[in-house]
Amino acid sequence: MFVLFEDAGKFLAGRVLSETDASAQVELESGKRVKVKAANVLLKFEKPQPQELLREAQALAEGIELDLAWEFAPEEDFGFADLAREYFSAQATIAQQAAALLRLFEAPHYFRRAGKGRFRKASAEILQQALAAIEKKKQVQAQIEAWAAELAAGSCPPPIREQLYKILFKPDKNAPEYKAVVEASRNTHTAPLDLLQKAGAITSPYQFHFKRFLLEWFPKGTGFAPVTAPAIKDDLPLAGVQAFSVDDSSTTEIDDALSVQGLGSGTVTVGVHIAAPGLAIQAGTPLDQLARQRLSTVYMPGHKITMLPDDVVQAYTLMEGRDCPAVSLYVQYDEASLEPKASETRLERVPIAVNLRHDQLDEHLTAAWLEDASLVAGGVPEKAARFRPELSFLFRLAKQLKAQREVVRGKPENFNRPDYNFRVPGAGEHGPEGGEAVEITVRKRGAPLDLIVSEAMILANSSWGQWLGETGVPGIYRSQASLAPGIKVRMGTKALPHAGIGVKSYAWSTSPLRRYTDLVNQWQIIAAARHGRTAALAAPFKPKDAELFSIISGFDAAYGAYNSHQAGMERYWTLKYLQQQGVTELEATVFKEGLARADTLPLVLPVMGTSDLPRGARVRLRLGAIDLITLDVTGTVIQRLDAAPEAAVSAEDDSEEETVAGPIAIAVDVTDTSEDEAKAAPAAADN
């Protein structure tokens, strides 16, 4: 005797070796013996042979018209044999009964299972819905196959082009556009990114990098909802100073300005004046929420995405010719020894006499011009020459402050490498398109104006950080336990030393128009200036406030991503510069095995032929092909330029993170078989 039985959603047939009321021992055609529960046995028969029955039943099942079978089926529960007798004849054969079973089982949209071998037909309404869904699925699958064929042929369908960045980086894996890319990649054995490039989906490498960044951090776009800059209601006193700012020409968010009083009196007062949006923007308001969403201005060559709307920035920026609300730090110094005597924080209106631009002044305001009052230099703009005594004192003070910090650091700061300025003159209001000409100029680290501003900002950030700590007002600090390798700068709410800068504490407070942490700290500083020792009770953020930790966490992630994007876009424009200038060879310095740094461009690249070269060796490289999608270029050593056994490369220089091209991480997984496995699983289940 033979039996047909169900096993884990499959139908098998075999010869019965032994049988009890509860189960049967069955031998399959393969020789395998299985124990089958009596409840799972659906048919018993003497002939034909089991495999012959299954083959015949499968052939008959394919001919059963489901619509007709649904019409014949009774309204109540029924068995497969009952349907076979209705559909075929009252004397339905074993093969016909088995065929009815197979057909019923594979059509859950017509018949739902009501038990072992039993079914109930779906209502007419449900059936129509199911059939419509099946038809739609067929159409979608046909569309997927058509799109995949287009991609394989080297053409990108418009719907895929429109969702390109979503497909690559934040895909809906059930979307037909995504499935088409996966299918085409599988069929052509081509990586998804390469496939899309060949199909012309990526028309602009610049837009590829920019839009994938926007997708991650600005999915709703970079525009602002309508918002009004609130007025500063405080009746602020007017400071008796003439302040000046020093920024790049492209800077619109002028956060800081400087002033000097008392030259020649023996006691000089240096003022660091910071724009005061914190006097108007209150924590928890819509404008605060907007700033907290962005957390920082995003910079890149030829473009920036500001933290605050431009009209809000212009309301509080330290624009020349205006008396601007500011949070001011005044530090008194002995004019001869430069020893600090006292410090004070004031909330006031500060007259801004002029906005100086260092990119227009660096070549004129040299160290010699600042240190020697008798030196006459032509070409110094009148605006800068007017403040020569103040700038000279500030330069002298900056050198002193830097030297004092280096004593705490235990070693000098390393300014061996220059900074680079990128200009994209042809960029439009909404940023460059990617093909414009780019200019890259060198700006030496530690230039006089740069040193003056940086030391003044360090003075303010460290002084205010220490003051907040002394008054018990929490703030957001940056700290570094030591300069030992692997010890990184961390953000927290405690006033801890910053070994890298060489100060007792350091709280970012000088850029409240473009960094949210600085705006938060400004609120705390304003509270301290107004309330003194009781400020901890009045400040917006109280000690151990969980909101501060949330802000730190969000800022860390966003600021790191923004800096990474800026570095990537600078690398893009550097490679574009190489193409535009026709550079095929360049001079570089080996600083790690297999890596070299260009001498006159902001470029680190992998290099072949350095295994026998020491760190610090200067070489000439021949450049390989440039890939603007992966931001990749390699070099090959063609000449050693120095004869020294080894040039000095500091460990600190070696420890800085370098921007080197790497693989683009995309979210298209051509190995994902979960959907295929799901299709193979039984579509119906007991109800």
Side-chain angles (χ1 to χ4, degrees):
M1 183 176 65
F2 307 115
V3 292
L4 176 69
F5 62 94
E6 182 185 350
D7 180 40
K10 296 180 181 180
F11 294 107
L12 304 174
R15 182 167 63 90
V16 177
L17 300 177
S18 61
E19 185 177 15
T20 66
D21 292 340
S23 64
Q25 189 77 12
V26 178
E27 183 180 50
L28 303 179
E29 185 184 38
S30 63
K32 180 180 178 181
R33 297 183 178 186
V34 294
K35 183 178 181 180
V36 181
K37 292 181 179 179
N40 290 340
V41 174
L42 301 173
L43 274 176
K44 294 183 178 180
F45 57 96
E46 297 290 342
K47 58 181 181 180
Q49 292 293 313
Q51 290 309 308
E52 183 181 341
L53 172 69
L54 289 175
R55 283 192 296 271
E56 186 178 352
Q58 189 61 55
L60 288 170
E62 292 174 0
I64 295 177
E65 296 182 20
L66 288 173
D67 289 329
L68 187 60
W70 184 84
E71 291 288 348
F72 285 160
E75 297 297 329
E76 66 276 3
D77 293 358
F78 61 90
F80 64 90
D82 299 327
L83 182 66
R85 286 188 283 272
E86 290 288 340
Y87 188 89
F88 291 105
S89 71
Q91 290 77 38
T93 65
I94 291 294
Q96 290 171 335
Q97 293 178 42
L101 173 64
L102 297 179
R103 192 63 165 149
L104 287 166
F105 189 81
E106 66 187 17
H109 44 296
Y110 280 90
F111 307 97
R112 67 176 180 84
R113 298 185 64 182
K116 295 295 182 181
R118 299 195 62 77
F119 301 84
R120 176 185 286 269
K121 75 177 184 179
S123 67
E125 181 181 358
I126 292 176
L127 176 60
Q128 290 307 311
Q129 292 174 354
L131 292 176
I134 291 171
E135 181 58 31
K136 182 179 179 181
K137 189 173 182 180
K138 288 181 180 178
Q139 293 175 0
V140 170
Q141 184 58 37
Q143 182 66 79
I144 290 171
E145 292 172 358
W147 284 342
E150 284 189 60
L151 288 170
S155 174
C156 183
I160 291 178
R161 190 188 303 276
E162 290 169 7
Q163 296 198 36
L164 174 66
Y165 301 99
K166 185 177 179 182
I167 291 169
L168 287 174
F169 302 108
K170 283 193 171 181
D172 171 4
K173 295 191 175 183
N174 290 317
E177 294 84 358
Y178 173 85
K179 291 182 178 180
V181 172
V182 171
E183 185 168 327
S185 294
R186 289 176 177 172
N187 293 344
T188 60
H189 305 287
T190 306
L193 195 56
D194 293 339
L195 173 81
L196 291 165
Q197 280 184 266
K198 292 175 181 177
I202 302 172
T203 56
S204 166
Y206 177 87
Q207 292 300 322
F208 172 80
H209 296 293
F210 184 51
K211 288 184 178 179
R212 74 184 180 114
F213 170 74
L214 294 183
L215 181 69
E216 178 67 25
W217 291 98
F218 296 88
K220 296 180 180 179
T222 59
F224 292 97
V227 66
T228 303
I232 295 175
K233 299 178 181 178
D234 302 60
D235 185 15
L236 301 173
L238 181 65
V241 301
Q242 288 293 300
F244 55 89
S245 67
V246 182
D247 293 281
D248 185 83
S249 295
S250 63
T251 300
T252 56
E253 304 150 296
I254 304 174
D255 294 286
D256 54 85
L258 305 173
S259 67
V260 179
Q261 303 172 75
L263 288 173
S265 69
T267 299
V268 177
T269 301
V270 173
V272 182
H273 312 284
I274 305 302
L279 289 171
I281 302 171
Q282 300 300 311
T285 60
L287 198 50
D288 166 45
Q289 293 300 318
L290 188 154
R292 185 167 176 177
Q293 283 179 346
R294 298 201 172 190
L295 292 165
S296 172
T297 291
V298 186
Y299 295 96
M300 66 202 84
H303 190 46
K304 65 180 177 180
I305 304 170
T306 58
M307 181 179 78
L308 294 168
D310 186 62
D311 57 345
V312 174
V313 170
Q314 296 310 310
Y316 309 123
T317 191
L318 302 183
M319 183 68 68
E320 65 182 15
R322 299 196 319 203
D323 298 337
C324 300
V327 179
S328 298
L329 172 69
Y330 290 100
V331 183
Q332 291 183 353
Y333 290 96
D334 181 279
E335 191 169 8
S337 66
L338 298 180
E339 286 298 317
K341 293 183 174 182
S343 65
E344 181 185 7
T345 296
R346 299 177 192 166
L347 309 179
E348 58 188 4
R349 288 181 295 123
V350 176
I352 306 298
V354 63
N355 297 138
L356 300 179
R357 304 298 183 175
H358 66 69
D359 54 316
Q360 301 171 4
L361 298 173
D362 276 345
E363 64 178 303
H364 303 296
L365 273 61
T366 63
W369 186 82
L370 292 170
E371 292 171 340
D372 185 355
S374 65
L375 182 65
V376 177
V380 178
E382 187 278 330
K383 287 183 176 182
R386 170 187 169 189
F387 288 97
R388 184 174 187 176
E390 290 86 349
L391 288 168
S392 295
F393 179 83
L394 289 172
F395 183 51
R396 178 177 159 229
L397 176 63
K399 291 189 292 182
Q400 171 86 345
L401 293 174
K402 180 175 181 289
Q404 291 172 346
R405 291 191 301 101
E406 288 178 340
V407 170
V408 178
R409 289 182 88 244
K411 59 180 178 179
E413 289 181 318
N414 186 358
F415 287 150
N416 289 338
R417 300 215 308 272
D419 282 331
Y420 292 91
N421 293 327
F422 290 79
R423 289 189 68 246
V424 187
E429 180 183 351
H430 301 292
E433 293 296 322
E436 297 88 344
V438 59
E439 300 172 4
I440 302 177
T441 56
V442 177
R443 180 169 174 241
K444 185 180 178 182
R445 285 185 176 183
L449 283 180
D450 183 63
L451 184 64
I452 288 170
V453 174
S454 63
E455 289 300 328
M457 297 309 106
I458 292 172
L459 174 65
N461 288 329
S462 59
S463 298
W464 277 330
Q466 190 168 348
W467 186 44
L468 289 179
E470 291 170 353
T471 56
V473 177
I476 297 177
Y477 293 87
R478 291 175 68 79
S479 63
Q480 186 177 19
S482 76
L483 290 177
I487 305 299
K488 296 185 177 181
V489 175
R490 299 186 180 279
M491 298 186 73
T493 59
K494 294 182 179 180
L496 298 174
H498 194 307
I501 298 177
V503 293
K504 292 181 180 178
S505 60
Y506 194 75
W508 266 346
S509 313
T510 54
S511 299
L513 293 173
R514 47 201 172 101
R515 266 196 317 243
Y516 188 69
T517 51
D518 299 52
L519 179 60
V520 169
N521 282 337
Q522 187 173 89
W523 285 327
Q524 304 298 85
I525 292 166
I526 290 170
R530 286 172 171 167
H531 303 281
R533 290 291 176 181
T534 62
L537 301 175
F541 298 95
K542 307 298 186 288
K544 298 183 180 179
D545 194 326
E547 276 294 288
L548 282 179
F549 294 100
S550 175
I551 291 168
I552 289 171
S553 176
F555 180 84
D556 253 346
Y559 200 64
Y562 295 175
N563 284 340
S564 178
H565 175 67
Q566 179 180 354
M569 297 313 283
E570 288 180 355
R571 187 174 178 88
Y572 169 86
W573 285 111
T574 301
L575 296 179
K576 197 71 178 174
Y577 178 86
L578 294 176
Q579 290 182 335
Q580 292 172 355
Q581 301 299 318
V583 177
T584 58
E585 295 181 4
L586 52 76
E587 295 179 3
T589 302
V590 176
F591 69 96
K592 287 182 182 178
E593 184 176 347
L595 287 177
R597 182 182 295 109
D599 291 345
T600 58
L601 286 173
L603 179 66
V604 170
L605 68 162
V607 176
M608 294 180 286
T610 63
S611 57
D612 297 330
L613 296 177
R615 292 169 57 202
R618 294 194 62 250
V619 294
R620 178 175 294 278
L621 303 177
R622 178 180 293 114
L623 299 179
I626 293 174
D627 188 329
L628 292 176
I629 293 293
T630 62
L631 300 180
D632 187 30
V633 64
T634 59
T636 303
V637 175
I638 57 175
Q639 183 183 358
R640 173 82 182 267
L641 299 177
D642 62 338
E646 181 168 346
V649 177
S650 73
E652 184 177 351
D653 189 49
D654 210 21
S655 66
E656 294 188 20
E657 293 185 4
E658 303 290 350
T659 304
V660 183
I664 301 290
I666 63 173
V668 180
D669 184 4
V670 297
T671 64
D672 186 2
T673 58
S674 57
E675 185 183 356
D676 297 332
E677 292 169 355
K679 289 178 181 176
D686 290 332
N687 292 306

